């Protein structure tokens, strides 16, 4: 009953594997355009078949994000969305099937305090966090606080990450390893690089935890092509854009479409 | 060693910061996306190898002297001291006389040579006032590199002469429309470009800020300012100054002027930040004086931020000081009490600009005018007869003429 956050994440990937498919990881920006709207979107994305949900914490200076997520963060900040509200939103949606991880930049978390963030995130039912501007060398203090609460600090591996560094990152990984598909910022791309396949194979051989791939994935064909190579696929900008431009039903239908593409793997 | 043919030695005293993790006490570090971590390690290795290479140091020394015009003069500004009603002797370190009109070239010459050494053909830079952009474009032209400069759209408007200079030097200026459309956002966009083109591109960061090793690298390239001040002061006054003053945006001219004196307890160190419309209005750029530690652009430093950890928008009439963060070494010096933060409002900077123009015949950059304005704010004992004050005049004012004329004569009334 009382599985830790990190365990719930592994279970979500294991459940997908049991169905002989990769897991679908869906990103939602909290507060875009309001917390109420995000609440409804979380429920819809969960019902549409997301295996894991990343709950985005808006930040004023998102240096790893392309225009779609930059603009989503600005809309959320215009509504004065705070980290405390994002955590409260997660708590209201504890009962969703898909485990939720927070995703956001370090400064709001540092500002709240590492110990308090870990404690409150765990109490809200969040399973972990992904922090794109917190590399391995700087992560020790926060990781220790999160471990105490059973939460996973999910590391990122980039195409430029090699050798000893890659081994150290996979060895430290909890929950899953987030593989960045291309050198670049978040956002849909027409083509993913050919070296992605061998890279995913290398990572899966190194890592004890599942390997998910993100940045650039937006369409069912991409998902179909990637599915056999990975334990999980992250869709972010494409989903945020569908929701912003065409509403909650369009977002849910994108999730169903990508989930169906995984099923055919 | 004579001033004119000094070769930078990059020798740091034992125990000098940063440590191996790029930390100055609690400040600094490397808070960047994973994609950039290997690039920062590569840059650090290249810098450590270059600094030990006599040929690299000699080429930099030659360019600093023959191309840039180092050493820059140290000028005793008696009429300025009089205009401020102080008895102490005031000296101006004339970085405004360096080629391209500001201290920024000290840094870009070194980084340009490093880029070439690393085999990078494409250079990117961020700029606020445009001085670092011009200095980057200049070095890119000199060394045959492609150059792209990110500049906030607001700064493109208020620093139009520098935009023109960059274009004429062959650089591409990309206006940044996001956020406050100033230096902070230009730096975000430069980092996004670097993440996307990391293998081919050298990021020529303009301040002693950002992720390790930039604060170290930029300080090592700028500390020539303070070293020259010390030698010139010995020549002219037979001793070190009692105080050194510099303006602080990100802090490259400041750490460059200060570093030589950090271990000289007799020398007081003053960093002058932008008080903008006034500290009490919240519209300012005084992160050392009024920020809290936080992480922006790859490093832990003092940061202007709201209660929820969102980065605040800075304000200053001077684009180069319009930045909510500050370098980690200055943060550390502030934290330990070695540096005293001061600030000057837009109005005080404009007054100082005029005082300097009319007393000494020097039109300085609005950034540097903040350092001049601090002459009115020094503790009384430093203003007394027999005291010696050095002010780093980091840049010249051509780029600011429109801003100053508009502020002083709104609507062209005179």
């Amino acid at each position: 009953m009382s599985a830790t956050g990190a365990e719930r994440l592994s279970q979500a990937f294991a459940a997908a594997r049991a169905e002989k498919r990769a897991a679908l990881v869906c990103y939602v920006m909290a507060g875009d355009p309001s917390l109420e709207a995000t609440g409804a979107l979380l429920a819809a994305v969960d019902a549409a078949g997301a295996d894991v949900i990343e709950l985005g914490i808006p930040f004023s200076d998102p240096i790893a994000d392309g225009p779609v997520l930059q603009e989503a963060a600005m809309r959320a900040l215009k509504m004065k969305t705070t980290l405390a509200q994002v955590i409260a939103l997660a708590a209201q949606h504890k009962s969703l099937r898909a485990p939720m991880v927070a995703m956001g930049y370090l400064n709001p978390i540092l500002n709240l305090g590492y110990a308090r963030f870990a404690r409150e995130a765990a109490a809200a039912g969040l399973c972990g966090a992904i922090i794109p501007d917190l590399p391995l060398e700087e992560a020790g203090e926060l990781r220790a606080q999160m471990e105490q609460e059973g939460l996973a600090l999910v590391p990122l591996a980039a195409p430029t990450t090699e050798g000893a560094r890659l081994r150290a990152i996979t060895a430290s990984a909890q929950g899953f390893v987030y593989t960045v598909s291309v050198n670049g910022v978040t956002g849909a791309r027409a083509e993913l690089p050919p070296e992605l396949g061998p890279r995913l194979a290398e990572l899966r051989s190194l890592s004890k935890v599942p390997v998910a791939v993100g940045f650039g994935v937006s369409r069912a064909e991409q998902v179909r092509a990637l599915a056999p190579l990975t334990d999980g696929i992250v869709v972010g900008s494409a989903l945020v854009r569908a929701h912003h431009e065409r509403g909650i039903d369009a977002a849910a239908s994108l999730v169903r479409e990508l989930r169906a593409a995984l099923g055919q793997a | 060693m004579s001033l004119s043919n000094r070769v930078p030695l990059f020798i740091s005293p034992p125990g000098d910061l940063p440590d191996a993790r790029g930390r100055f006490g609690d400040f600094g570090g490397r808070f960047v996306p994973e994609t950039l971590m290997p690039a920062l390690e590569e840059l650090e290795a290249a810098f450590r190898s270059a600094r030990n290479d006599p040929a690299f140091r000699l080429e930099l020394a030659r360019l600093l002297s023959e191309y840039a015009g180092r050493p820059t003069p140290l000028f005793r500004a008696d009429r300025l001291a009089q205009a401020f009603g102080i008895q102490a002797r005031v000296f101006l370190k004339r970085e405004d006389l360096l080629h391209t009109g500001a201290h920024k070239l000290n840094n870009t010459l070194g980084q340009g040579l490093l880029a070439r050494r690393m085999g990078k053909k494409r250079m990117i830079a961020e700029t606020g006032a445009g001085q670092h952009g011009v200095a980057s474009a200049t070095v890119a032209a000199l060394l045959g590199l492609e150059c792209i400069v990110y500049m906030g759209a607001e700064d493109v408007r208020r620093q139009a002469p520098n935009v023109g200079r960059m274009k004429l030097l062959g650089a591409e200026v990309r206006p940044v429309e996001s956020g406050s459309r100033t230096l902070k956002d230009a730096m975000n966009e430069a980092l996004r470009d670097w993440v996307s083109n990391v293998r081919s591109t050298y990021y020529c960061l303009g301040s002693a800020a950002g992720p390790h090793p930039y604060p170290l690298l930029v300080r090592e390239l700028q500390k020539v300012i303070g070293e020259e001040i010390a030698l010139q002061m010995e020549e002219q006054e037979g001793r070190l100054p009692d105080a050194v003053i510099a303006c602080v945006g990100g802090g490259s001219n400041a750490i460059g002027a200060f570093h030589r004196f950090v271990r000289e307890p007799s020398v007081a160190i003053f960093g002058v930040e932008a008080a903008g419309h006034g500290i009490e209005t919240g519209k300012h750029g005084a992160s050392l004086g009024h920020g809290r530690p936080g992480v922006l652009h790859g490093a832990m430093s003092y940061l202007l931020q709201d209660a929820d950890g969102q980065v605040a928008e800075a304000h200053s009439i001077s684009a180069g000081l319009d930045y909510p963060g500050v370098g980690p070494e200055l943060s550390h010096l502030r934290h330990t009490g070695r540096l005293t933060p001061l600030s000057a409002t837009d109005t005080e900077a404009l007054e100082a600009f005029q005082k300097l123009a009319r007393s000494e015949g020097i039109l300085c950059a609005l950034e540097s005018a903040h350092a001049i304005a601090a002459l009115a704010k020094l503790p009384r004992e430093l203003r007394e007869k027999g005291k010696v004050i050095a002010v780093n005049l980091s840049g010249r004012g051509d780029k600011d003429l429109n801003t100053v004329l508009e502020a002083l004569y709104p609507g062209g009334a005179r």
Side-chain angles (χ1 to χ4, degrees):
Chain A
M1 175 58 217
S2 60
T4 66
E7 287 163 356
R8 289 187 59 210
L9 274 178
S10 328
Q11 286 162 8
F13 280 92
R17 199 179 320 123
E19 293 176 14
K20 299 199 182 339
R21 61 174 179 86
L24 182 61
V25 181
C26 294
Y27 177 96
V28 165
M29 173 64 84
D32 170 28
S34 70
L35 288 162
E36 294 69 33
T38 307
L41 180 61
L42 286 172
V45 165
D46 187 58
D51 295 297
V52 173
I53 297 176
E54 293 178 5
L55 184 59
I57 305 164
F59 183 53
S60 52
D61 295 84
I63 55 172
D65 285 310
V68 171
L69 295 192
Q70 285 177 43
E71 285 159 21
M74 291 310 124
R75 290 191 294 269
L77 290 178
K78 213 170 165 185
M79 299 302 290
K80 311 258 182 240
T81 308
T82 67
L83 176 53
Q85 288 173 338
V86 177
I87 294 172
L89 179 70
Q92 287 162 26
H93 293 82
K94 258 185 185 175
S95 58
L96 294 186
R97 188 186 38 78
M100 258 191 273
V101 290
M103 182 160 186
Y105 292 83
L106 183 63
N107 200 53
I109 292 168
L110 179 71
N111 177 69
L112 188 68
Y114 288 168
R116 186 171 163 200
F117 171 74
R119 206 167 53 239
E120 294 185 1
L126 284 161
C127 296
I130 308 169
I131 305 176
D133 59 346
L134 188 68
L136 181 67
E137 287 79 353
E138 307 286 358
E141 205 182 323
L142 178 59
R143 185 191 298 112
Q145 296 291 344
M146 291 181 65
E147 261 171 14
Q148 278 194 10
E149 303 289 344
L151 300 180
L153 185 57
V154 174
L156 293 100
T160 50
T161 316
E162 283 161 1
R165 182 169 182 84
L166 191 62
R167 288 192 293 279
I169 286 172
T170 49
S172 80
Q174 297 155 305
F176 62 98
V177 177
Y178 190 128
T179 311
V180 178
S181 66
V182 291
N183 288 330
V185 293
T186 57
R189 284 171 177 81
E191 305 233 349
L192 292 170
E195 60 274 18
L196 187 55
R199 160 50 52 128
L200 285 165
E202 181 188 12
L203 270 161
R204 287 171 95 188
S205 75
L206 284 172
S207 175
K208 304 181 301 294
V209 296
V211 171
V213 58
F215 281 40
V217 184
S218 60
R219 299 194 315 270
E221 309 91 272
Q222 290 172 319
V223 166
R224 258 191 293 275
L226 277 174
L229 311 174
T230 180
D231 304 310
I233 296 176
V234 186
V235 60
S237 297
L239 182 56
V240 167
R241 170 178 247 165
H243 177 242
H244 175 62
E245 290 179 357
R246 295 182 286 126
I248 190 165
D249 293 341
S253 107
L254 177 63
V255 173
R256 276 192 298 273
E257 184 194 344
L258 297 179
R259 176 70 163 70
L262 282 174
Q264 293 158 23
Chain B
M1 196 177 347
S2 88
L3 270 174
S4 57
N5 52 18
R6 290 180 71 246
V7 174
L9 285 175
F10 301 123
I11 289 174
S12 300
D16 202 23
L17 294 172
D19 66 17
R21 294 173 61 216
R23 293 285 187 146
F24 302 84
D26 292 338
F27 300 97
R30 239 175 217 168
F31 297 88
V32 294
E34 172 59 25
T35 309
L36 295 181
M37 289 298 285
L40 291 169
E41 286 170 3
E42 181 194 2
L43 174 63
E44 185 180 358
F47 169 59
R48 291 196 189 280
S49 132
R51 79 195 301 198
N52 290 320
D53 177 354
F56 179 89
R57 295 205 307 261
L58 203 66
E59 182 167 20
L60 179 56
R62 187 181 64 79
L63 287 173
L64 284 173
S65 135
E66 294 169 10
Y67 181 73
R70 297 216 75 87
T72 58
L74 184 73
F75 173 68
R76 188 172 137 186
D78 290 344
R79 281 176 47 79
L80 179 68
Q82 210 173 22
F84 275 89
I86 64 182
Q87 307 296 311
R89 287 184 191 162
V90 173
F91 288 79
L92 302 177
K93 180 58 174 168
R94 299 291 309 275
E95 291 299 294
D96 61 315
L97 294 177
L98 200 67
H99 178 42
T100 74
H103 70 290
K104 293 291 188 185
L105 193 66
N106 298 323
N107 173 38
T108 58
L109 278 173
Q111 289 205 51
L113 291 179
L114 200 53
R116 198 181 64 183
R117 188 183 169 94
M118 292 171 74
K120 309 279 185 185
K121 304 264 188 267
R122 179 177 184 267
M123 179 187 267
I124 58 170
E126 83 295 336
T127 196
Q131 290 301 115
H132 175 60
V134 168
S136 298
T138 298
V139 167
L142 178 71
L143 300 177
L145 305 170
E146 179 190 359
C147 183
I148 292 154
V149 180
Y150 290 94
M151 187 169 187
E154 168 67 12
D155 293 337
V156 168
R157 185 190 63 76
R158 61 180 162 171
Q159 307 280 209
N162 275 343
V163 176
R165 281 189 192 105
M166 287 183 266
K167 287 181 179 163
L168 292 173
L169 288 161
E172 180 192 341
V173 180
R174 294 190 182 164
V176 176
E177 299 284 353
S178 57
S180 55
R181 305 155 87 230
T182 59
L183 177 55
K184 163 178 94 80
D185 311 285
M187 199 151 167
N188 288 339
E189 213 50 40
L191 284 165
R192 290 183 189 119
D193 180 312
W194 201 28
V195 169
S196 306
N197 302 289
V198 61
R199 292 187 206 271
S200 66
T201 297
Y202 184 93
Y203 180 17
C204 185
L205 209 154
S207 197
H212 179 59
Y214 284 107
L216 165 67
L217 170 58
V218 177
R219 177 197 78 199
E220 290 300 293
L221 293 168
Q222 291 290 2
K223 72 182 188 186
V224 63
I225 301 172
E227 288 171 351
E228 285 181 8
I229 292 175
L231 288 169
Q232 291 165 323
M233 210 56 110
E234 288 286 353
E235 277 175 17
Q236 295 184 38
E237 291 287 308
R239 65 183 184 90
L240 294 180
D242 298 295
V244 182
I245 305 173
C247 65
V248 175
S252 72
N253 94 85
I255 197 65
F258 298 159
H259 190 257
R260 166 65 181 79
F261 303 105
V262 166
R263 286 160 192 256
E264 303 283 358
S266 68
V267 182
I269 292 175
F270 296 94
V272 189
E273 299 185 295
H277 292 324
I279 298 294
E280 69 289 351
T281 66
K283 291 184 183 302
H284 61 82
S287 38
L288 285 176
H290 301 274
R292 287 184 291 125
V295 167
L296 176 69
H297 296 149
M300 178 91 68
S301 71
Y302 279 97
L303 182 62
L304 298 177
Q305 53 184 320
D306 71 10
D308 198 45
Q310 303 296 341
V311 179
E313 288 188 6
H315 172 84
S316 173
I317 191 171
S318 119
L321 305 187
D322 201 346
Y323 182 62
V326 63
E329 188 164 12
L330 290 178
S331 295
H332 176 63
L333 295 176
R334 154 78 175 108
H335 185 71
T336 58
R338 182 66 187 91
L339 173 153
T340 305
L342 297 173
S343 65
T345 63
D346 291 353
T347 309
E348 289 167 334
L350 282 165
E351 284 167 12
F353 175 96
Q354 286 171 287
K355 273 187 182 164
L356 179 63
R358 292 179 183 200
S359 65
E360 303 287 359
I362 298 171
L363 296 173
C364 72
L366 277 174
E367 290 77 13
S368 319
H370 286 70
I372 299 291
L375 287 170
K377 303 180 178 224
L378 291 178
R380 201 174 59 198
E381 64 272 17
L382 283 171
R383 298 154 53 95
E384 283 168 1
K385 198 170 166 65
K387 296 294 181 185
V388 175
I389 313 292
V391 182
N392 193 27
L393 205 68
S394 54
R396 71 178 180 218
D398 313 39
K399 69 186 176 64
D400 292 317
L401 291 188
N402 286 340
T403 307
V404 174
L405 289 170
E406 256 175 54
L408 295 179
Y409 311 111
R414 310 244 312 251

